[in-house]
Each structure stands twice: as structure tokens, then as C-alpha cells.
Amino acid sequence: MIRSLRLSLRFLLPLLLAILAVAYLSIPLVDSLQQRWFVRDLDIRSTLVARSFEEPLGDLLESKSHARIDALLERATVDERLYALALCDANGRLIQKTRSFPASIECSVRRLARDGAGYLLESPRGPLHVSTADLKRSDGAFATLVMLHDMSFVQRRSEDTRKYILLLFTGLGVVVALITIAVAHVSWRGWIAGVRAMLRGDGVIRPFSQPSFELQPLVPDLRALLRDLENERREENAIAIKWSPQALRRLLDEQFSGDEVIVVSNREPYIHVRSDQGIQIQRPASGLVTAVEPVMRACAGTWIAHGSGSADRESADAAGRLRVPPANPSYTLRRVWLSEEEEQGYYYGLANEGLWPLCHIAHVRPTFRMQDWNQYVAVNRKFADAVFKEVHSDDPIVLIQDYHFALLPQLVRKRLPRATIITFWHIPWPNPESFGICPWRREIIDGLLGSTILGFHTRYHCNNFLQTVDRFVEARIEYESSTVSFGGHLTLVEAYPISIAWPDAATNDEPVEAVRARIRRGLGVDDAHLLGLGVDRLDYTKGIVERLRCVERLFELHPKWVGRFSFVQIAAPSRSSLDDYQHFEQQVRVTADEINNRFGRSGWLPIRLLIEHHDEASVRAHYRACDVCMVTSLHDGMNLVAKEFVAARDDERGVLILSQFAGASRELHEALIVNPYFIEEMAATLHRALSMPEEEQRERMANLREFVRELNVYRWAGRMLLDAARVRRRERFAVRVGENGGTS
Ligand code: G6P
């Protein structure tokens, strides 16, 4: 209010001064106008007076009744304005005059004032209007009447008029001022609310939050300007930073000093399992965990996840908390306990039999059951409770991971409206037709749109999501800025390709030559034997069967490789209680056996299936020992195996064969890109890889390594946090502008 008053005053003072100046300047004009009107009136009046005297005076002059002429003239001057009269004969001699007629005025004035037009004369008693009129009879003029009118009443009226004008203009000024203040106040509020809505990119139409009418034409330009500036700064910031754990920590200190970081995922980074040797710690085979764990070490926050290990409860405190990593604790793992029923419905059912096949177009039908959905909703609520219990502030940064928690962003938003919620969807997002199969598509979209930022690996998945929103809910989508305004809240939908932590220079790796020899010894083949490698969870989306068929076709097309090339498939058992996964394992085993039976010889098997959990060191040793790594997913968000392989090859050897349907193929252009559905092409590519000269391998690998080193997982997290910081600043600014606009 005060702000709008201050603004109005800046405009009002000059306005008032201008009004007063106009009033003062107009007074002389009004005076002279008035005077002219009065003189004209008096001229008319004089003519009337003369006409009324014509007859009686003619008679009285004829009868020489001077006393009666005198009485007649004196009586006429009783009128307050008619000050004096004189009667002159045709020769200009005075016949008769009233007592008030000044001696200084003679009949000669006739020449100055002729019929119908008088003149003004200053006299000691004030201005006089002098006019004359000839008195006529049928035989011509017989005398002239000289009339003096008192003009002092004009002066009196003029003063009154002046007063009225001043009063009128002052009153007018005050009314204009009051109206201006009222209009300015309302416009200011509307304008501020409009600018706020515009800054937020809010497209929801609400009174007082719409950019005002006058601002409307500017809105697209202002938004484009803001966006350009932001994008420029964003890119500059992201490029200028050399991303490392330290850089990420610095970013957190600078942009979010003191703010809490909470990560939520289904899979936990450390699983305690009971075994014959006592309690053991396992690292899960999960791209999500691979990526988020180094970020968490750098952020030192709290990671909330499902406690799924057989010895998890006894390894945590009563609240399910423990400090991890076990060797060098740097953050808190908070385990959430789920009943068997909950795990069955939420994890196996809705997440892995519903959403997983729905989002991966890999020809496995999604199954949607009502009871699974109910458990999914209940478990999302349970995790929202856990977030609420873990946070100490009302505006934490909450990083929500993956398709297990589509409802969580909105649940957290409801309880912590000021939280910065970054949700990352680690798997693909299908087109609207495919997503439309899901009976709870609206609830899922609604849930995700509670996020401040919603991230996917690729722009393609972002666009699929935006189109899905467009198809199924009432929201305002800005494709240019990639934002969705829904329920009064804005979500930025952006691509953040995930990556890995580049291995430390100090990593104590076994030299490549040594590890090549060791692994080959274990397989019973000589040092010159070529090795292909696949590292996956045993999942039908990974294209493992297609990969094996490709090896088979290679042997058919190029028999020279039989006995000289083997393929090792490391496959971590996954979601094995589900039918689809059991069938898939069966299919993989049968295919491998078939190929082994067909091409194997005594002491040598072309396919080595290692269906068991492998620790990090063992996987890394295989990466370093192989000649070709095959990532042939039928559909994959990113696939970090491709990047891990590249990172492990400090000898700059080895060839990566990569599916065009894995997000990584959008980044790793020096890989040999294949269509896993086209076995002929894959076999030809495998042959090319096995025959690739060392120099070409080195060139390709060097480029791939440079790319992955630069665009590492700290950059992935850093870019999201930079965007979140920007949104946070923007929201705080909008609130500040709003508060000031409303109260100060
Ligand atoms: C994919 C998902 C992750 C999941 C991982 C392992 O990478 O995006 O969320 O953790 O698979 O699957 P699991 O069901 O064993 O956690």
C-alpha cells in the first residue's frame, strides 16, 4: 500500500502543481472575458434605457418641464448600476444632468461613445462605463442621453469568480488525486501479481495473478529473455565447472548452504545379508545405486530406502538408521521396513509387473492389479512419512528416484510445500498411447507433477512425458521452456543424462595384461583368445538372448572365430520371484546351451553364463580383460554398463557395441551402434569389432573416455542442483516481490 502511495505521490505532486498553475493562468483570461461580457450587457442595457426615456423626455422637453426632467433622471439613477445621466441637445450643450454626474464629463463624450458601443473611464470612485444614445422622434434626433454605469460590481464579481475557480480546481485536483491513488494501488497489486506469475512461468489463470492487460504483449518477450539468460548462464555454469565430488560439495555449500539433502529410492546402496560366513554386505546391481551413491557421499545427507536385506534390521538402529559407507561413513542410510504383502504389491506387482514393462517397450505385457495399486499408494505414503520424519527444515532438497515413487513428489509437496523436489525417472518414458494403458495414468502424472524438477535421461523421454501430460491431464505446457504448470505449481521437465563416477587415479587396478591372462586362464583358453562380455541384471529388457543369437550367427557366418572367441555373460539374478523373469532365465539358459552344444568342443564352450552376483572388483576385472563389450538392450533409459566399460579401459583398447535403444547411444558416438532386433547386422558388427585394428580401437576409446570423464555423475547431479538452485532463487524472489508488493 505504502509503495503504491509513494509511487502515486511521485505522479500526484506534479499533477497538483500543474492543476494550480492552470488555475492561476486562467484567472486573467476569465477576468477579461467577464469584463467583455459585462460591457456588452451594459451596452444593451443602455440602449434599452434610452429607448424607454425617448417618449417621456421628448414630451417633457417640448413642454420645457425641466423640474420633471430632473426628477425623471434622478429617479432612474436609483438603480445601483446606473450611476449618472445627462441630457445633451443636438448641438452638444448640456440640458440637464443628475447630481451624481461628474463635472469633468461633458456632452462632447458623445463623440467617443456612439450608439450601442460604450467605453470605459477610470474615475476616483472606480471604473465607469460611458455610453450615449440619441433620442429620436419621427422628425429626427432631438437630444442625446449620456449614461454612466458603475463598473465596480464587475470587480466584485471578478474576485468572487477567482475564488470559485481556485476552489473548483483545488477540489478537482483532490478528487483526481484520490482516484489516481486508488487506481494506482489496484494496478500495482495486479501488476506485481502478474509479474510474479510471469516470473514463475505460472500459466494458471487466476484473478490478480495474470500479467496485467498492459503487460500481456510483453510477456512472451520477457519470458524468452529470462529463458535465454537462464540457459546461457546454465550452460556457462555447467561447462565452466570441472565436475568432481569437491565441485559438487562446493556447489551445495554455495547455493544451498545449510540445506538438507534427502534421497529416496527403493533399492538401498548397502544390503546386509545373512550367510554361512556371518553377515555380509552386498552392493546391489543397480544403475541407480551406481550413480547416486557417489553423489550421496559428496552431499552427506540422508538416503531413505527399502531395507530388503535378510540382516538389515540387526545392522541398523531402532529407527532403521546406520552410517554408510561401512568403511568410511559419510552419510546416513535410513531403512524403511515393508511387509511381505507391501513388497509384493508395490515392488513386484505395480512397479515391476506394471510400470517396468509399460515403460520399456520390450514386448512383455504389463499387468495391472487393483491390490498392487493399493499397496503402491500405501508404500508411497509410508515413504512420505519417512521423509517427513527425517527432515529438520521446511525447505529441504528431496531427490526422489525412479518409477517406484511416482506418487511421492506430490505427497511430499503437500506436507512440505517449500521443499525443492528433484525427481529422476531412471527408465524410459513411453509415448502417450503406450502410457495410456495404465489405469492410474492420471494419478501417476499428478504425483510426478509435485516435483520442482522432473528429470529423464534424454530429450526424447522428456517430450514423451510432456505429450502424455498433454493427453491426460488439464495442465499448461510450455514446450519452449519445457515446463508444466499444474494445480498452481510449476515443474521443469529436463534431460539430465546420468553417468558414473570417474575412477580415482589411485584405483589399484590389476594391469590389463595380467587380468587378461588371469581371466582367460580361468576360462581354460589361451592368451590370444578373444573375449566378448555382457554385464547385466538378468532382465528381459537387456537383449541377452539376442546377443547370444548374434554370437551364434557370427560362428555361422565366420567359422574362423569358432574356438578363437568366447562370450562371457555376467547376469545378476533379478526380481526372480516373478514369472516373466523366471521364464526369461530359462530362455537364456536354453539358448546358451543350444549354442554351446552346437559349437562347443571338448574343453571349450563358446558361451559362459555366470548367473550370480558379482562384486564391483570382479566386474571391473572382466571389463579390463575383454575385447568387446556388448550392450544390446531392447530398451534402456541410459545403461551405465557402457560407461563403466569405457571408464575401466585406461589402456584405450576394447570395442563397445551399443544398442540404438539405450539412452547411452545418444552420447557415446564412437561405439558401434546396433539394432538388437536385427541379428544379421549385429553379427556383422561383432565381426567388425573383433577384427578392428588397435589404432582404431585406441582412437574410439580415447574419445569415449574423454566424454565420460567430463560428463560424469557429478555433472549429472550438479546440473540438476544448479537448476534447482535457480528455481529456488526465482521462487524466493517471487515471494519477496509478492510480500513487498502486498504489505510495504
Ligand atoms: C533399474 C532401475 C532401478 C533399479 C535397478 C535394479 O536400473 O531403474 O531403479 O534399482 O534397475 O533393479 P532392482 O529391482 O533390483 O532394484
Side-chain angles (χ1 to χ4, degrees):
M1 176 72 192
I2 288 173
R3 181 180 290 232
S4 48
L5 195 68
R6 228 187 291 143
L7 265 180
S8 318
L9 279 182
R10 246 185 255 164
F11 166 72
L12 277 180
L13 277 181
L15 178 78
L16 279 175
L17 287 176
I19 288 176
L20 287 178
V22 169
Y24 269 106
L25 287 176
S26 60
I27 286 171
L29 191 76
V30 172
D31 270 358
S32 90
L33 252 177
Q34 246 187 347
Q35 188 145 344
R36 250 188 285 150
W37 290 339
F38 283 126
V39 168
R40 215 168 51 225
D41 280 355
L42 289 177
D43 287 343
I44 295 166
R45 202 167 191 267
S46 304
T47 312
L48 277 173
V49 171
R51 292 290 82 84
S52 59
F53 275 113
E54 230 162 24
E55 208 183 311
L57 278 177
D59 293 345
L60 292 173
L61 272 176
E62 217 170 23
S63 60
K64 302 206 187 322
S65 308
H66 287 282
R68 288 183 60 196
I69 292 174
D70 189 38
L72 183 66
L73 294 183
E74 286 297 346
R75 223 177 21 249
T77 57
V78 173
D79 179 299
E80 85 170 294
R81 291 195 204 158
L82 191 56
Y83 172 62
L85 285 171
L87 193 63
C88 305
D89 66 14
N91 300 321
R93 275 192 306 269
L94 183 70
I95 303 170
Q96 195 79 42
K97 64 175 184 173
T98 58
R99 279 191 299 279
S100 53
F101 200 89
S104 55
I105 300 178
E106 295 172 0
C107 284
S108 55
V109 293
R110 277 183 319 157
R111 283 195 299 277
L112 297 172
R114 287 312 313 162
D115 264 1
Y119 71 94
L120 289 181
L121 184 76
E122 278 305 325
S123 79
R125 75 177 312 276
L128 294 173
H129 173 262
V130 183
S131 57
T132 64
D134 288 341
L135 304 179
K136 296 172 189 156
R137 298 183 84 163
S138 51
D139 52 350
F142 61 89
T144 301
L145 188 64
V146 180
M147 291 157 282
L148 301 185
H149 276 95
D150 183 358
M151 290 284 284
S152 61
F153 80 96
V154 174
Q155 242 167 3
R156 278 196 309 277
R157 288 210 174 160
S158 181
E159 265 156 34
D160 285 350
T161 309
R162 223 174 282 173
K163 257 187 257 159
Y164 285 131
I165 286 180
L166 277 179
L167 269 175
L168 179 77
F169 273 82
T170 313
L172 197 72
V174 171
V175 171
V176 169
L178 288 178
I179 292 174
T180 310
I181 289 175
V183 170
H185 179 61
V186 172
S187 311
W188 172 254
R189 278 182 52 197
W191 194 84
I192 286 301
V195 171
R196 248 167 78 196
M198 193 188 69
L199 285 173
R200 279 207 215 101
D202 198 347
V204 180
I205 299 175
R206 280 171 285 159
F208 285 115
S209 73
Q210 275 270 85
S212 61
F213 170 72
E214 313 81 69
L215 265 181
Q216 286 289 5
L218 289 178
V219 169
D221 287 348
L222 283 174
R223 282 211 186 130
L225 194 68
L226 278 177
R227 212 167 31 241
D228 288 351
L229 286 173
E230 278 170 10
N231 284 345
E232 250 172 54
R233 222 188 34 210
R234 222 173 124 216
E235 283 311 310
E236 273 170 19
N237 285 346
I239 290 167
I241 298 171
K242 204 160 172 46
W243 290 102
S244 63
Q246 297 75 21
L248 196 63
R249 233 170 275 139
R250 227 179 6 255
L251 166 71
L252 283 164
D253 288 347
E254 284 166 10
Q255 306 278 354
F256 301 93
S257 63
D259 293 337
E260 295 175 273
V261 178
I262 305 270
V263 165
V264 186
S265 74
N266 171 69
R267 188 57 68 201
E268 55 182 340
Y270 296 92
I271 310 176
H272 287 87
V273 284
R274 216 171 288 117
S275 72
D276 299 342
Q277 294 90 48
I279 292 178
Q280 288 191 327
I281 298 176
Q282 258 189 21
R283 303 299 313 282
S286 158
L288 178 159
V289 171
T290 308
V292 178
E293 218 265 335
V295 173
M296 224 19 210
R297 287 187 198 210
C299 298
T302 301
W303 186 331
I304 303 174
H306 170 211
S308 57
S310 51
D312 268 359
R313 280 186 196 259
E314 58 217 79
S315 318
D317 68 13
R321 292 200 193 97
L322 67 154
R323 298 282 296 164
V324 287
N328 179 21
S330 55
Y331 66 93
T332 301
L333 171 60
R334 155 77 149 86
R335 286 171 172 155
V336 173
W337 313 118
L338 299 182
S339 67
E340 228 173 86
E341 230 187 350
E342 283 173 328
E343 191 179 359
Q344 189 55 47
Y346 138 84
Y347 172 73
Y348 286 110
L350 203 278
N352 286 316
E353 287 193 292
L355 295 178
W356 179 269
L358 178 78
C359 292
H360 290 90
I361 319 284
H363 318 291
V364 170
R365 277 176 76 110
T367 306
F368 292 107
R369 303 178 198 93
M370 197 65 211
Q371 69 267 30
D372 291 348
W373 172 251
N374 291 337
Q375 292 297 353
Y376 187 84
V377 174
V379 171
N380 270 252
R381 291 209 178 112
K382 197 170 200 174
F383 274 81
D385 288 344
V387 171
F388 201 61
K389 272 191 202 124
E390 290 303 316
V391 295
H392 301 106
S393 63
D394 67 344
D395 61 349
I397 303 157
V398 186
L399 302 160
I400 297 173
Q401 309 299 315
D402 233 352
Y403 59 100
H404 309 90
F405 296 116
L407 308 180
L408 192 55
Q410 201 62 270
L411 293 170
V412 173
R413 168 77 53 224
K414 293 224 165 87
R415 294 170 79 165
L416 297 165
R418 297 188 56 223
T420 298
I421 303 171
I422 303 175
T423 305
F424 196 80
W425 195 262
H426 289 256
I427 62 174
W429 189 278
N431 60 45
E433 283 73 29
S434 302
F435 193 77
I437 294 171
C438 178
W440 302 287
R441 53 194 175 232
R442 284 199 186 85
E443 288 84 343
I444 286 175
I445 294 168
D446 176 313
L448 287 170
L449 290 179
S451 314
T452 315
I453 292 179
L454 175 58
F456 294 94
H457 293 297
T458 66
R459 191 65 238 165
Y460 179 67
H461 296 150
C462 293
N463 292 343
N464 277 352
F465 177 78
L466 292 176
Q467 284 160 16
T468 308
V469 172
D470 200 13
R471 180 76 59 89
F472 298 114
V473 298
E474 279 294 317
R476 184 182 154 127
I477 301 171
E478 295 260 4
Y479 282 95
E480 231 180 294
S481 57
S482 201
T483 51
V484 180
S485 182
F486 178 70
H489 174 74
L490 194 76
T491 302
L492 170 69
V493 179
E494 195 53 85
Y496 304 97
I498 207 166
S499 194
I500 53 158
W502 190 254
D504 236 331
T507 307
N508 217 356
D509 272 324
E510 199 178 350
V512 169
E513 284 313 313
V515 79
R516 277 180 74 90
R518 181 168 65 78
I519 299 268
R520 279 169 179 71
R521 256 197 322 278
L523 295 171
V525 293
D526 60 37
D527 284 5
H529 196 86
L530 295 186
L531 271 193
L533 176 70
V535 178
D536 306 86
R537 278 181 313 102
L538 198 47
D539 193 295
Y540 52 78
T541 60
K542 301 295 181 184
I544 297 174
V545 171
E546 288 74 5
R547 206 177 295 167
L548 300 184
R549 290 288 173 214
C550 156
V551 173
E552 180 183 39
R553 190 72 185 126
L554 173 84
F555 291 148
E556 286 168 1
L557 292 173
H558 304 280
K560 73 165 186 174
W561 293 116
V562 177
R564 291 177 57 207
F565 167 71
S566 302
F567 188 79
V568 177
Q569 176 65 52
I570 293 179
S574 180
R575 308 167 193 172
S576 355
S577 66
L578 296 179
D579 286 351
D580 285 323
Y581 284 79
Q582 286 169 11
H583 291 151
F584 181 66
E585 181 175 342
Q586 203 47 34
Q587 208 187 340
V588 171
R589 285 188 189 279
V590 167
T591 312
D593 285 349
E594 214 181 287
I595 298 168
N596 282 340
N597 289 337
R598 200 173 150 198
F599 294 99
R601 294 171 187 172
S602 68
W604 174 73
L605 289 176
I607 307 285
R608 303 296 178 113
L609 260 191
L610 308 176
I611 302 188
E612 63 202 349
H613 188 84
H614 280 64
D615 64 21
E616 225 177 300
S618 163
V619 172
R620 196 169 159 82
H622 280 86
Y623 285 144
R624 287 167 72 75
C626 74
D627 298 287
V628 179
C629 179
M630 294 188 80
V631 176
T632 56
S633 316
L634 303 180
H635 204 182
D636 218 331
M638 172 55 73
N639 195 301
L640 291 183
V641 167
K643 294 187 176 179
E644 282 177 353
F645 170 62
V646 167
R649 298 312 297 254
D650 51 11
D651 62 335
E652 296 182 347
R653 303 285 169 77
V655 182
L656 174 63
I657 293 180
L658 181 56
S659 161
Q660 67 185 78
F661 304 117
S665 68
R666 313 283 162 118
E667 296 187 308
L668 304 181
H669 302 297
E670 284 81 9
L672 300 183
I673 307 294
V674 291
N675 172 1
Y677 291 92
F678 190 13
I679 306 295
E680 291 295 316
E681 182 202 68
M682 272 216 289
T685 308
L686 180 55
H687 172 67
R688 183 180 163 201
L690 294 173
S691 323
M692 189 181 283
E694 272 191 16
E695 202 37 54
E696 186 180 342
Q697 288 184 33
R698 198 184 295 281
E699 213 170 294
R700 286 176 183 271
M701 189 52 84
N703 284 339
L704 289 169
R705 284 172 63 78
E706 196 183 318
F707 182 90
V708 179
R709 188 191 295 117
E710 290 299 312
L711 279 72
N712 56 36
V713 73
Y714 302 108
R715 182 180 186 272
W716 170 73
R719 279 187 59 226
M720 284 195 287
L721 288 169
L722 273 175
D723 282 350
R726 190 168 48 86
V727 175
R728 226 161 137 104
R729 266 199 309 276
R730 213 196 224 197
E731 278 173 358
R732 284 179 180 169
F733 171 68
V735 167
R736 222 172 42 235
V737 170
E739 278 168 3
N740 291 347
T743 58
S744 67

